[in-house]
Amino acid sequence: MFHKVLSAEWAKLRNNRIVFPVILAPTLILLLQYVNFKIRYTSVVKEGDIPWTIFIEQHAVIWAVLILPILAAVLSSMLIMNENSENNWKYLLALPIKRRDVYFAKITLVIFFLLVSSILLGIGILGSAFILQLPGDIQYSQLIQTLCAALIGAFAVLTIQFWLSIKFDNPGIPLAVSICGTVAAIFLLQSALTRWLPWVYPYLVLPIRLNEGINITWYMGQSVVVGLLCLIIGYREFAHRDI
């Protein structure tokens, strides 16, 4: 039954503009870093640095701290917007399908689109580096590890945003939470006192030089555990809600 619900949710996206944020998010970072390296190459890459490593890290930090958490919130809101508008939940849940299948089909699609967006960023980084003619060997392993780590670190934020998007009919509430959490993470991510904040996890799990001395594996595990807890709590709240 789950795959049928997943197919039905996918079919709903024909008239949905969800593809725009999926493409736009990595494109903005690619353009920003292309201009940054084109104009300020000698300032960004110091003597002794590996250009490919610096190039990947510069993309990864902005992607993990700023873009990925907000993208998770935007995608969650867009996928649930149809059901929240005019209370379409009543019509959807009146069908002979389980709420569990509906909940997990929708969040599976959000994860899929985040994965697609990350892949586009990875391909774009390679293309952008070739255009800039970066010297040295291509750091495929570092690129894949960094993008995968950011996705794992964003899992807790994703489940929180998805839960809020289903709970509140007004999409402004989960988006406001996302913006506040992201802004707090930007200003507080270097503080050891605020490393419990889920919006900081996508940065703390990055295998970059700025995170030397930080137990990346610990924060990956923390993101997964917090994410699973929020996923279960969100589903239970949705399953027992009187719609």
Side-chain angles (χ1 to χ4, degrees), residues 91-120:
Y91 304 104
L92 176 62
L93 299 179
L95 299 173
I97 55 178
K98 296 179 180 177
R99 293 192 180 194
R100 178 188 61 197
D101 292 336
V102 173
Y103 192 89
F104 287 100
K106 285 184 177 296
I107 198 168
T108 297
L109 286 177
V110 178
I111 295 173
F112 169 75
F113 284 119
L114 287 178
L115 180 61
V116 170
S117 198
S118 297
I119 293 173
L120 291 177

PDB file of all heavy atoms in Angstrom, residues 91-120:
ATOM      1  N   TYR A  91     -10.668  14.849   3.095  1.00  0.00           N
ATOM      2  CA  TYR A  91     -10.921  14.064   1.882  1.00  0.00           C
ATOM      3  C   TYR A  91      -9.853  12.994   1.687  1.00  0.00           C
ATOM      4  O   TYR A  91     -10.141  11.871   1.281  1.00  0.00           O
ATOM      5  CB  TYR A  91     -10.968  14.998   0.671  1.00  0.00           C
ATOM      6  CG  TYR A  91     -11.990  16.097   0.811  1.00  0.00           C
ATOM      7  CD1 TYR A  91     -11.612  17.399   1.110  1.00  0.00           C
ATOM      8  CD2 TYR A  91     -13.353  15.814   0.667  1.00  0.00           C
ATOM      9  CE1 TYR A  91     -12.540  18.409   1.259  1.00  0.00           C
ATOM     10  CE2 TYR A  91     -14.301  16.818   0.804  1.00  0.00           C
ATOM     11  CZ  TYR A  91     -13.889  18.116   1.102  1.00  0.00           C
ATOM     12  OH  TYR A  91     -14.828  19.090   1.260  1.00  0.00           O
ATOM     13  N   LEU A  92      -8.600  13.352   1.998  1.00  0.00           N
ATOM     14  CA  LEU A  92      -7.509  12.398   1.809  1.00  0.00           C
ATOM     15  C   LEU A  92      -7.625  11.217   2.767  1.00  0.00           C
ATOM     16  O   LEU A  92      -7.527  10.052   2.361  1.00  0.00           O
ATOM     17  CB  LEU A  92      -6.163  13.110   2.008  1.00  0.00           C
ATOM     18  CG  LEU A  92      -4.913  12.217   1.940  1.00  0.00           C
ATOM     19  CD1 LEU A  92      -4.791  11.583   0.559  1.00  0.00           C
ATOM     20  CD2 LEU A  92      -3.665  13.019   2.259  1.00  0.00           C
ATOM     21  N   LEU A  93      -7.881  11.548   4.041  1.00  0.00           N
ATOM     22  CA  LEU A  93      -7.917  10.488   5.052  1.00  0.00           C
ATOM     23  C   LEU A  93      -9.227   9.722   5.068  1.00  0.00           C
ATOM     24  O   LEU A  93      -9.359   8.723   5.785  1.00  0.00           O
ATOM     25  CB  LEU A  93      -7.630  11.094   6.432  1.00  0.00           C
ATOM     26  CG  LEU A  93      -6.247  11.761   6.551  1.00  0.00           C
ATOM     27  CD1 LEU A  93      -6.042  12.353   7.929  1.00  0.00           C
ATOM     28  CD2 LEU A  93      -5.136  10.739   6.240  1.00  0.00           C
ATOM     29  N   ALA A  94     -10.221  10.218   4.305  1.00  0.00           N
ATOM     30  CA  ALA A  94     -11.473   9.453   4.169  1.00  0.00           C
ATOM     31  C   ALA A  94     -11.281   8.241   3.245  1.00  0.00           C
ATOM     32  O   ALA A  94     -12.089   7.311   3.252  1.00  0.00           O
ATOM     33  CB  ALA A  94     -12.579  10.350   3.618  1.00  0.00           C
ATOM     34  N   LEU A  95     -10.195   8.263   2.473  1.00  0.00           N
ATOM     35  CA  LEU A  95      -9.889   7.145   1.575  1.00  0.00           C
ATOM     36  C   LEU A  95      -9.392   5.949   2.399  1.00  0.00           C
ATOM     37  O   LEU A  95      -8.898   6.120   3.522  1.00  0.00           O
ATOM     38  CB  LEU A  95      -8.821   7.570   0.571  1.00  0.00           C
ATOM     39  CG  LEU A  95      -9.191   8.741  -0.345  1.00  0.00           C
ATOM     40  CD1 LEU A  95      -7.977   9.179  -1.174  1.00  0.00           C
ATOM     41  CD2 LEU A  95     -10.343   8.351  -1.277  1.00  0.00           C
ATOM     42  N   PRO A  96      -9.519   4.739   1.851  1.00  0.00           N
ATOM     43  CA  PRO A  96      -9.080   3.537   2.604  1.00  0.00           C
ATOM     44  C   PRO A  96      -7.555   3.390   2.614  1.00  0.00           C
ATOM     45  O   PRO A  96      -7.005   2.419   2.082  1.00  0.00           O
ATOM     46  CB  PRO A  96      -9.769   2.403   1.838  1.00  0.00           C
ATOM     47  CG  PRO A  96      -9.900   2.906   0.453  1.00  0.00           C
ATOM     48  CD  PRO A  96     -10.176   4.393   0.577  1.00  0.00           C
ATOM     49  N   ILE A  97      -6.897   4.352   3.176  1.00  0.00           N
ATOM     50  CA  ILE A  97      -5.433   4.294   3.304  1.00  0.00           C
ATOM     51  C   ILE A  97      -5.061   4.619   4.743  1.00  0.00           C
ATOM     52  O   ILE A  97      -5.815   5.283   5.460  1.00  0.00           O
ATOM     53  CB  ILE A  97      -4.733   5.291   2.352  1.00  0.00           C
ATOM     54  CG1 ILE A  97      -5.259   6.726   2.574  1.00  0.00           C
ATOM     55  CG2 ILE A  97      -4.920   4.867   0.913  1.00  0.00           C
ATOM     56  CD1 ILE A  97      -4.589   7.759   1.719  1.00  0.00           C
ATOM     57  N   LYS A  98      -3.914   4.165   5.159  1.00  0.00           N
ATOM     58  CA  LYS A  98      -3.455   4.378   6.529  1.00  0.00           C
ATOM     59  C   LYS A  98      -2.773   5.734   6.643  1.00  0.00           C
ATOM     60  O   LYS A  98      -2.070   6.161   5.724  1.00  0.00           O
ATOM     61  CB  LYS A  98      -2.479   3.273   6.935  1.00  0.00           C
ATOM     62  CG  LYS A  98      -3.099   1.890   6.971  1.00  0.00           C
ATOM     63  CD  LYS A  98      -2.050   0.857   7.353  1.00  0.00           C
ATOM     64  CE  LYS A  98      -2.678  -0.529   7.394  1.00  0.00           C
ATOM     65  NZ  LYS A  98      -1.681  -1.581   7.704  1.00  0.00           N
ATOM     66  N   ARG A  99      -2.996   6.362   7.785  1.00  0.00           N
ATOM     67  CA  ARG A  99      -2.323   7.646   8.025  1.00  0.00           C
ATOM     68  C   ARG A  99      -0.806   7.469   8.023  1.00  0.00           C
ATOM     69  O   ARG A  99      -0.072   8.355   7.610  1.00  0.00           O
ATOM     70  CB  ARG A  99      -2.779   8.242   9.361  1.00  0.00           C
ATOM     71  CG  ARG A  99      -4.234   8.670   9.384  1.00  0.00           C
ATOM     72  CD  ARG A  99      -4.540   9.505  10.613  1.00  0.00           C
ATOM     73  NE  ARG A  99      -5.943   9.915  10.627  1.00  0.00           N
ATOM     74  CZ  ARG A  99      -6.439  10.856  11.406  1.00  0.00           C
ATOM     75  NH1 ARG A  99      -5.647  11.492  12.261  1.00  0.00           N
ATOM     76  NH2 ARG A  99      -7.717  11.172  11.371  1.00  0.00           N
ATOM     77  N   ARG A 100      -0.370   6.316   8.506  1.00  0.00           N
ATOM     78  CA  ARG A 100       1.072   6.048   8.535  1.00  0.00           C
ATOM     79  C   ARG A 100       1.671   6.133   7.133  1.00  0.00           C
ATOM     80  O   ARG A 100       2.734   6.723   6.934  1.00  0.00           O
ATOM     81  CB  ARG A 100       1.301   4.643   9.110  1.00  0.00           C
ATOM     82  CG  ARG A 100       2.757   4.204   9.150  1.00  0.00           C
ATOM     83  CD  ARG A 100       2.849   2.748   9.537  1.00  0.00           C
ATOM     84  NE  ARG A 100       2.162   1.912   8.550  1.00  0.00           N
ATOM     85  CZ  ARG A 100       1.789   0.652   8.756  1.00  0.00           C
ATOM     86  NH1 ARG A 100       2.027   0.091   9.917  1.00  0.00           N
ATOM     87  NH2 ARG A 100       1.185  -0.039   7.811  1.00  0.00           N
ATOM     88  N   ASP A 101       0.959   5.549   6.148  1.00  0.00           N
ATOM     89  CA  ASP A 101       1.476   5.563   4.777  1.00  0.00           C
ATOM     90  C   ASP A 101       1.518   6.982   4.214  1.00  0.00           C
ATOM     91  O   ASP A 101       2.453   7.346   3.486  1.00  0.00           O
ATOM     92  CB  ASP A 101       0.611   4.675   3.883  1.00  0.00           C
ATOM     93  CG  ASP A 101       0.737   3.206   4.246  1.00  0.00           C
ATOM     94  OD1 ASP A 101       1.779   2.838   4.834  1.00  0.00           O
ATOM     95  OD2 ASP A 101      -0.199   2.442   3.966  1.00  0.00           O
ATOM     96  N   VAL A 102       0.503   7.779   4.548  1.00  0.00           N
ATOM     97  CA  VAL A 102       0.465   9.164   4.066  1.00  0.00           C
ATOM     98  C   VAL A 102       1.627   9.961   4.652  1.00  0.00           C
ATOM     99  O   VAL A 102       2.350  10.671   3.942  1.00  0.00           O
ATOM    100  CB  VAL A 102      -0.879   9.824   4.442  1.00  0.00           C
ATOM    101  CG1 VAL A 102      -0.858  11.314   4.089  1.00  0.00           C
ATOM    102  CG2 VAL A 102      -2.028   9.132   3.740  1.00  0.00           C
ATOM    103  N   TYR A 103       1.817   9.818   5.971  1.00  0.00           N
ATOM    104  CA  TYR A 103       2.855  10.587   6.665  1.00  0.00           C
ATOM    105  C   TYR A 103       4.242  10.247   6.119  1.00  0.00           C
ATOM    106  O   TYR A 103       5.028  11.136   5.757  1.00  0.00           O
ATOM    107  CB  TYR A 103       2.784  10.272   8.165  1.00  0.00           C
ATOM    108  CG  TYR A 103       3.608  11.195   9.035  1.00  0.00           C
ATOM    109  CD1 TYR A 103       3.053  12.370   9.532  1.00  0.00           C
ATOM    110  CD2 TYR A 103       4.920  10.876   9.368  1.00  0.00           C
ATOM    111  CE1 TYR A 103       3.799  13.216  10.340  1.00  0.00           C
ATOM    112  CE2 TYR A 103       5.665  11.709  10.177  1.00  0.00           C
ATOM    113  CZ  TYR A 103       5.106  12.873  10.663  1.00  0.00           C
ATOM    114  OH  TYR A 103       5.849  13.709  11.457  1.00  0.00           O
ATOM    115  N   PHE A 104       4.519   8.943   6.017  1.00  0.00           N
ATOM    116  CA  PHE A 104       5.873   8.550   5.618  1.00  0.00           C
ATOM    117  C   PHE A 104       6.096   8.697   4.113  1.00  0.00           C
ATOM    118  O   PHE A 104       7.241   8.864   3.679  1.00  0.00           O
ATOM    119  CB  PHE A 104       6.168   7.125   6.097  1.00  0.00           C
ATOM    120  CG  PHE A 104       6.384   7.043   7.580  1.00  0.00           C
ATOM    121  CD1 PHE A 104       5.371   6.615   8.416  1.00  0.00           C
ATOM    122  CD2 PHE A 104       7.582   7.445   8.139  1.00  0.00           C
ATOM    123  CE1 PHE A 104       5.554   6.560   9.792  1.00  0.00           C
ATOM    124  CE2 PHE A 104       7.776   7.397   9.516  1.00  0.00           C
ATOM    125  CZ  PHE A 104       6.760   6.963  10.342  1.00  0.00           C
ATOM    126  N   ALA A 105       5.042   8.646   3.325  1.00  0.00           N
ATOM    127  CA  ALA A 105       5.202   8.891   1.884  1.00  0.00           C
ATOM    128  C   ALA A 105       5.604  10.342   1.635  1.00  0.00           C
ATOM    129  O   ALA A 105       6.482  10.637   0.806  1.00  0.00           O
ATOM    130  CB  ALA A 105       3.901   8.569   1.158  1.00  0.00           C
ATOM    131  N   LYS A 106       4.974  11.253   2.363  1.00  0.00           N
ATOM    132  CA  LYS A 106       5.285  12.671   2.177  1.00  0.00           C
ATOM    133  C   LYS A 106       6.706  12.995   2.632  1.00  0.00           C
ATOM    134  O   LYS A 106       7.451  13.705   1.933  1.00  0.00           O
ATOM    135  CB  LYS A 106       4.268  13.533   2.939  1.00  0.00           C
ATOM    136  CG  LYS A 106       2.897  13.613   2.268  1.00  0.00           C
ATOM    137  CD  LYS A 106       1.974  14.540   3.017  1.00  0.00           C
ATOM    138  CE  LYS A 106       0.628  14.683   2.301  1.00  0.00           C
ATOM    139  NZ  LYS A 106       0.758  15.317   0.978  1.00  0.00           N
ATOM    140  N   ILE A 107       7.118  12.486   3.787  1.00  0.00           N
ATOM    141  CA  ILE A 107       8.468  12.811   4.259  1.00  0.00           C
ATOM    142  C   ILE A 107       9.533  12.100   3.408  1.00  0.00           C
ATOM    143  O   ILE A 107      10.644  12.608   3.239  1.00  0.00           O
ATOM    144  CB  ILE A 107       8.645  12.472   5.758  1.00  0.00           C
ATOM    145  CG1 ILE A 107       9.870  13.218   6.305  1.00  0.00           C
ATOM    146  CG2 ILE A 107       8.802  10.992   5.990  1.00  0.00           C
ATOM    147  CD1 ILE A 107       9.983  13.196   7.806  1.00  0.00           C
ATOM    148  N   THR A 108       9.176  10.960   2.829  1.00  0.00           N
ATOM    149  CA  THR A 108      10.101  10.290   1.909  1.00  0.00           C
ATOM    150  C   THR A 108      10.365  11.168   0.685  1.00  0.00           C
ATOM    151  O   THR A 108      11.502  11.260   0.193  1.00  0.00           O
ATOM    152  CB  THR A 108       9.520   8.932   1.462  1.00  0.00           C
ATOM    153  OG1 THR A 108       9.385   8.095   2.605  1.00  0.00           O
ATOM    154  CG2 THR A 108      10.437   8.249   0.449  1.00  0.00           C
ATOM    155  N   LEU A 109       9.326  11.835   0.204  1.00  0.00           N
ATOM    156  CA  LEU A 109       9.496  12.726  -0.945  1.00  0.00           C
ATOM    157  C   LEU A 109      10.367  13.938  -0.586  1.00  0.00           C
ATOM    158  O   LEU A 109      11.181  14.385  -1.401  1.00  0.00           O
ATOM    159  CB  LEU A 109       8.128  13.198  -1.454  1.00  0.00           C
ATOM    160  CG  LEU A 109       7.320  12.149  -2.218  1.00  0.00           C
ATOM    161  CD1 LEU A 109       5.953  12.705  -2.604  1.00  0.00           C
ATOM    162  CD2 LEU A 109       8.073  11.708  -3.474  1.00  0.00           C
ATOM    163  N   VAL A 110      10.200  14.461   0.635  1.00  0.00           N
ATOM    164  CA  VAL A 110      11.043  15.587   1.055  1.00  0.00           C
ATOM    165  C   VAL A 110      12.514  15.158   1.083  1.00  0.00           C
ATOM    166  O   VAL A 110      13.401  15.870   0.580  1.00  0.00           O
ATOM    167  CB  VAL A 110      10.621  16.103   2.450  1.00  0.00           C
ATOM    168  CG1 VAL A 110      11.548  17.239   2.881  1.00  0.00           C
ATOM    169  CG2 VAL A 110       9.182  16.588   2.437  1.00  0.00           C
ATOM    170  N   ILE A 111      12.780  13.974   1.641  1.00  0.00           N
ATOM    171  CA  ILE A 111      14.157  13.459   1.681  1.00  0.00           C
ATOM    172  C   ILE A 111      14.693  13.259   0.261  1.00  0.00           C
ATOM    173  O   ILE A 111      15.847  13.581  -0.037  1.00  0.00           O
ATOM    174  CB  ILE A 111      14.208  12.135   2.474  1.00  0.00           C
ATOM    175  CG1 ILE A 111      13.851  12.401   3.944  1.00  0.00           C
ATOM    176  CG2 ILE A 111      15.577  11.482   2.362  1.00  0.00           C
ATOM    177  CD1 ILE A 111      13.696  11.148   4.780  1.00  0.00           C
ATOM    178  N   PHE A 112      13.840  12.743  -0.616  1.00  0.00           N
ATOM    179  CA  PHE A 112      14.261  12.523  -2.010  1.00  0.00           C
ATOM    180  C   PHE A 112      14.662  13.842  -2.677  1.00  0.00           C
ATOM    181  O   PHE A 112      15.717  13.921  -3.330  1.00  0.00           O
ATOM    182  CB  PHE A 112      13.108  11.874  -2.782  1.00  0.00           C
ATOM    183  CG  PHE A 112      13.334  11.838  -4.272  1.00  0.00           C
ATOM    184  CD1 PHE A 112      14.228  10.936  -4.834  1.00  0.00           C
ATOM    185  CD2 PHE A 112      12.658  12.712  -5.117  1.00  0.00           C
ATOM    186  CE1 PHE A 112      14.451  10.912  -6.208  1.00  0.00           C
ATOM    187  CE2 PHE A 112      12.865  12.690  -6.482  1.00  0.00           C
ATOM    188  CZ  PHE A 112      13.770  11.784  -7.035  1.00  0.00           C
ATOM    189  N   PHE A 113      13.861  14.881  -2.481  1.00  0.00           N
ATOM    190  CA  PHE A 113      14.175  16.158  -3.130  1.00  0.00           C
ATOM    191  C   PHE A 113      15.426  16.806  -2.523  1.00  0.00           C
ATOM    192  O   PHE A 113      16.186  17.479  -3.226  1.00  0.00           O
ATOM    193  CB  PHE A 113      12.974  17.101  -3.050  1.00  0.00           C
ATOM    194  CG  PHE A 113      11.886  16.748  -4.018  1.00  0.00           C
ATOM    195  CD1 PHE A 113      10.624  16.404  -3.570  1.00  0.00           C
ATOM    196  CD2 PHE A 113      12.118  16.742  -5.378  1.00  0.00           C
ATOM    197  CE1 PHE A 113       9.623  16.053  -4.456  1.00  0.00           C
ATOM    198  CE2 PHE A 113      11.122  16.404  -6.282  1.00  0.00           C
ATOM    199  CZ  PHE A 113       9.876  16.054  -5.827  1.00  0.00           C
ATOM    200  N   LEU A 114      15.645  16.625  -1.224  1.00  0.00           N
ATOM    201  CA  LEU A 114      16.887  17.120  -0.616  1.00  0.00           C
ATOM    202  C   LEU A 114      18.100  16.392  -1.200  1.00  0.00           C
ATOM    203  O   LEU A 114      19.155  16.998  -1.438  1.00  0.00           O
ATOM    204  CB  LEU A 114      16.850  16.930   0.902  1.00  0.00           C
ATOM    205  CG  LEU A 114      15.922  17.856   1.693  1.00  0.00           C
ATOM    206  CD1 LEU A 114      15.956  17.496   3.175  1.00  0.00           C
ATOM    207  CD2 LEU A 114      16.322  19.319   1.506  1.00  0.00           C
ATOM    208  N   LEU A 115      17.923  15.092  -1.438  1.00  0.00           N
ATOM    209  CA  LEU A 115      19.000  14.304  -2.040  1.00  0.00           C
ATOM    210  C   LEU A 115      19.283  14.781  -3.466  1.00  0.00           C
ATOM    211  O   LEU A 115      20.455  14.943  -3.856  1.00  0.00           O
ATOM    212  CB  LEU A 115      18.614  12.825  -2.036  1.00  0.00           C
ATOM    213  CG  LEU A 115      19.631  11.845  -2.644  1.00  0.00           C
ATOM    214  CD1 LEU A 115      20.948  11.890  -1.871  1.00  0.00           C
ATOM    215  CD2 LEU A 115      19.071  10.422  -2.643  1.00  0.00           C
ATOM    216  N   VAL A 116      18.222  15.019  -4.231  1.00  0.00           N
ATOM    217  CA  VAL A 116      18.395  15.510  -5.605  1.00  0.00           C
ATOM    218  C   VAL A 116      19.113  16.856  -5.612  1.00  0.00           C
ATOM    219  O   VAL A 116      20.031  17.095  -6.410  1.00  0.00           O
ATOM    220  CB  VAL A 116      17.022  15.635  -6.305  1.00  0.00           C
ATOM    221  CG1 VAL A 116      17.156  16.377  -7.635  1.00  0.00           C
ATOM    222  CG2 VAL A 116      16.414  14.261  -6.529  1.00  0.00           C
ATOM    223  N   SER A 117      18.699  17.743  -4.712  1.00  0.00           N
ATOM    224  CA  SER A 117      19.310  19.058  -4.638  1.00  0.00           C
ATOM    225  C   SER A 117      20.798  18.945  -4.266  1.00  0.00           C
ATOM    226  O   SER A 117      21.637  19.681  -4.806  1.00  0.00           O
ATOM    227  CB  SER A 117      18.563  19.918  -3.610  1.00  0.00           C
ATOM    228  OG  SER A 117      18.847  21.275  -3.787  1.00  0.00           O
ATOM    229  N   SER A 118      21.133  18.027  -3.369  1.00  0.00           N
ATOM    230  CA  SER A 118      22.529  17.825  -2.971  1.00  0.00           C
ATOM    231  C   SER A 118      23.354  17.278  -4.139  1.00  0.00           C
ATOM    232  O   SER A 118      24.509  17.671  -4.333  1.00  0.00           O
ATOM    233  CB  SER A 118      22.610  16.852  -1.786  1.00  0.00           C
ATOM    234  OG  SER A 118      21.966  17.384  -0.644  1.00  0.00           O
ATOM    235  N   ILE A 119      22.764  16.360  -4.903  1.00  0.00           N
ATOM    236  CA  ILE A 119      23.459  15.811  -6.075  1.00  0.00           C
ATOM    237  C   ILE A 119      23.709  16.905  -7.112  1.00  0.00           C
ATOM    238  O   ILE A 119      24.791  16.989  -7.711  1.00  0.00           O
ATOM    239  CB  ILE A 119      22.646  14.651  -6.689  1.00  0.00           C
ATOM    240  CG1 ILE A 119      22.620  13.461  -5.726  1.00  0.00           C
ATOM    241  CG2 ILE A 119      23.226  14.234  -8.037  1.00  0.00           C
ATOM    242  CD1 ILE A 119      21.716  12.333  -6.154  1.00  0.00           C
ATOM    243  N   LEU A 120      22.705  17.759  -7.311  1.00  0.00           N
ATOM    244  CA  LEU A 120      22.878  18.879  -8.244  1.00  0.00           C
ATOM    245  C   LEU A 120      24.011  19.799  -7.788  1.00  0.00           C
ATOM    246  O   LEU A 120      24.799  20.289  -8.606  1.00  0.00           O
ATOM    247  CB  LEU A 120      21.572  19.672  -8.360  1.00  0.00           C
ATOM    248  CG  LEU A 120      20.412  18.962  -9.063  1.00  0.00           C
ATOM    249  CD1 LEU A 120      19.163  19.837  -9.030  1.00  0.00           C
ATOM    250  CD2 LEU A 120      20.774  18.632 -10.506  1.00  0.00           C
TER     251      LEU A 120
END
